[in-house]
Amino acid sequence: MLRANPDLFGLACDLSAEAVHLLQRKEEYQCGRCLAFPCDMTKGVSEQPSEEHRGLEQVVPAESVDFATLLFVLSAIDPNQYVSTLTRIHSRMRPGGVVLVRDYGRGDLAQLRFGAGHWLGGDTYVRSDGTLAVFFTDSGLKADFEAAGFETLSVEYRRTEVVNRGTGIVMPRVWVQGRFRRISREGYADATREC
């Protein structure tokens, strides 16, 4: 994105401090137009998991973000924390700002491969490393964003089949992707700002 738009300044956060350090070592990061920091988006400033982690509110000014991407982020978060996490993100978005999301959809190959003992209920599973894997419906993703104050611009399933050339096995992949806009202070979307 930084290559495509020379006027863009990017903020990036990840729960893994190591992932942030890997990004910071890349030559492209040295352009001075990106700030990456470790953060647990589900927690406030005083609840971060380490001294190195920063709360979203510490780094990202209120109402300053034009667009945000959440690529396979929500599926690793406890569903009970969706609305509070999305509300935290909402507070950082400018009125009219858009969040772009892609995550696992119900019926994805990853869900179908989970064995006995990994299911926690609903569409929530636990991986062998202890991390969560949640599989979304379009209506569920829409409801979570709308509960946090966003307007749904679009939400849809993206389906494809991957074929293993060696075995001929067909593997279904299902993702849900959406675009959600922060409602302006007046209570309606700012139609002049479209991403």
Side-chain angles (χ1 to χ4, degrees):
M1 286 189 282
L2 294 174
R3 275 189 235 132
N5 185 344
D7 297 323
L8 184 70
F9 184 87
L11 295 164
C13 67
D14 196 290
L15 179 60
S16 168
E18 182 56 31
V20 171
H21 294 150
L22 287 171
L23 173 63
Q24 291 171 336
R25 287 194 290 268
K26 291 192 171 286
E27 183 179 333
E28 291 174 310
Y29 182 82
Q30 307 306 319
C31 70
R33 296 188 299 119
C34 184
L35 172 65
F37 59 100
C39 173
D40 182 342
M41 291 192 316
T42 68
K43 300 187 181 326
V45 173
S46 65
E47 304 166 302
Q48 292 297 309
S50 78
E51 297 218 359
E52 186 176 7
H53 286 74
R54 298 287 172 253
L56 208 55
E57 300 85 350
Q58 285 178 287
V59 180
V60 183
E63 298 188 346
S64 66
V65 176
D66 290 312
F67 73 92
T69 59
L70 298 176
L71 303 176
F72 301 97
V73 170
L74 294 175
S75 57
I77 296 173
D78 181 335
N80 294 320
Q81 296 178 308
Y82 288 158
V83 174
S84 63
T85 300
L86 293 172
T87 299
R88 182 171 279 114
I89 293 167
H90 182 276
S91 72
R92 307 295 104 188
M93 303 299 296
R94 291 183 199 265
V98 175
V99 178
L100 309 169
V101 178
R102 180 177 262 198
D103 224 313
Y104 297 106
R106 180 185 285 167
D108 183 62
L109 174 66
Q111 183 178 24
L112 302 177
R113 284 186 168 170
F114 275 109
H118 291 269
W119 183 60
L120 298 178
D123 289 309
T124 305
Y125 297 78
V126 63
R127 293 186 174 100
S128 57
D129 65 1
T131 59
L132 290 179
V134 181
F135 298 86
F136 290 92
T137 63
D138 54 354
S139 59
L141 190 63
K142 178 180 191 246
D144 290 332
F145 270 87
E146 290 179 357
F150 287 95
E151 169 194 28
T152 300
L153 298 175
S154 66
V155 63
E156 62 187 355
Y157 289 104
R158 304 296 287 184
R159 300 175 194 273
T160 190
E161 291 183 339
V162 178
V163 179
N164 181 311
R165 292 182 199 170
T167 64
I169 295 174
V170 176
M171 300 171 284
R173 298 311 314 251
V174 180
W175 300 287
V176 176
Q177 67 183 36
R179 294 173 39 227
F180 304 93
R181 182 168 40 199
R182 178 181 168 169
I183 304 294
S184 72
R185 284 182 214 93
E186 291 78 29
Y188 57 90
D190 181 350
T192 64
R193 299 180 61 98
E194 177 74 29
C195 290

